[in-house]
Amino acid sequence: MIACTCLVQAGQISAETQGALRESIDGFARRALGAPAEITWTEVPRNSGYTANAPSTSSIVSIRANAKLDQPRRVTLLEELCGLWMEQTKCSLNEIVGVISDPQES
Amino acid sequence: MPLYLCNAAKGAIDDDAKRKIAADVTRIHCDVTAAPPDFVHVFFLEESDFVPLNGQTILLIGSIRGGRTDEQKAQIVREIGESIRAHTGVAPDKTFVTTTDTPASWVMEGGDILPEPGEEDEWLVAHKAKIKAQS
């Protein structure tokens, strides 16, 4: 399983869009990393998210890869991940933060 | 990024305190690191399993770009801890603040991979020009 955490602002993403995002992220994980996504979805309560010291509309999607990635590959995957998020949510470029980390070293 | 994620016991931080702490965290991060405030995120959760409290009343984890010095990180932790205590009244032994390093190259924000510490100004100029050209 590919661990994926999504941090979103409460009330910003409908249940329908969340479902579509989950499906898209799972497809992305299977296609790009060869395994299904295990998604943890966390909502930041209203009046509880700030970006640049103003009420936040930002979402953060973070995936832990199952193998060490070289940087060109990571950039390509991040562009795809942020792109699918923007497509589903209609958010702007500045409202999505994507993180793809390498596996934890033991 | 940075993302400062705070979890707290129910009712420990009211909305006014959240606003004040978020302002302090943003100022402290920018003062200590000389980074711009544009992408400083401060999110508050309550009784969340996402970042377990482990017996604390308030726990705050700052995911910051790698490359900061130990002194910078210690200053961030100390000053944010002071802010939390000042705005909530929660005892020092019931608050826990820490930072964790994330390589800038792992993070895409605004459609660009984040710059390494110290390269923010040039990055921000190029990024804003890109966004303007796309709008």
Side-chain angles (χ1 to χ4, degrees), chain A residues 16-17 19-21 23-24 83-91:
Chain A
E16 183 182 3
T17 300
L21 275 170
E23 197 171 311
S24 293
L84 73 82
W85 192 281
M86 289 171 62
E87 185 180 332
Q88 296 286 354
T89 66
K90 310 302 179 197
C91 75

Side-chain angles (χ1 to χ4, degrees), chain A residues 5 9 42-45 47-53 56 58 71 74-75 78-79 93-94 97-102, chain B residues 3 15 18-19 22-23 37-45 50 105-111 113 127 131 134:
Chain A
T5 61
Q9 307 301 318
T42 300
E43 287 198 342
V44 179
N47 303 316
S48 299
Y50 291 85
T51 294
N53 201 25
S56 182
S58 292
Q71 191 58 9
R74 191 189 317 277
V75 172
L78 279 167
E79 287 173 342
L93 257 183
N94 277 340
V97 182
V99 183
I100 299 181
S101 55
D102 283 344
Chain B
L3 169 63
D15 285 351
K18 288 175 187 172
R19 182 177 53 77
D38 301 62
F39 295 130
V40 180
H41 305 280
V42 187
F43 294 170
F44 297 89
L45 305 175
F50 188 58
S105 63
W106 288 3
V107 184
M108 179 169 281
E109 188 151 5
I113 294 294
H127 174 73
I131 295 295
Q134 289 177 344

Side-chain angles (χ1 to χ4, degrees), chain A residues 24-101:
Chain A
S24 293
I25 291 169
D26 185 61
F28 167 81
R30 290 172 189 269
R31 190 171 57 253
L33 301 168
E38 184 173 40
I39 298 171
T40 302
W41 187 273
T42 300
E43 287 198 342
V44 179
R46 291 179 189 279
N47 303 316
S48 299
Y50 291 85
T51 294
N53 201 25
S56 182
T57 55
S58 292
S59 297
I60 296 175
V61 56
S62 181
I63 283 180
R64 184 173 293 281
N66 51 0
K68 193 172 165 62
L69 300 174
D70 63 30
Q71 191 58 9
R73 174 78 171 142
R74 191 189 317 277
V75 172
T76 299
L77 295 182
L78 279 167
E79 287 173 342
E80 186 178 348
L81 181 61
C82 292
L84 73 82
W85 192 281
M86 289 171 62
E87 185 180 332
Q88 296 286 354
T89 66
K90 310 302 179 197
C91 75
S92 74
L93 257 183
N94 277 340
E95 292 177 305
I96 177 63
V97 182
V99 183
I100 299 181
S101 55

Side-chain angles (χ1 to χ4, degrees), chain B residues 4 59-63 76-77 96-100:
Chain B
Y4 287 91
L59 180 145
L60 184 145
I61 299 174
S63 298
I76 287 171
V77 166
F96 182 76
V97 180
T98 191
T99 64
T100 181

Side-chain angles (χ1 to χ4, degrees), chain B residues 26-49:
Chain B
T26 305
R27 174 186 52 76
I28 291 163
H29 181 88
C30 295
D31 285 352
V32 173
T33 66
D38 301 62
F39 295 130
V40 180
H41 305 280
V42 187
F43 294 170
F44 297 89
L45 305 175
E46 199 170 76
E47 304 278 0
S48 174
D49 293 333

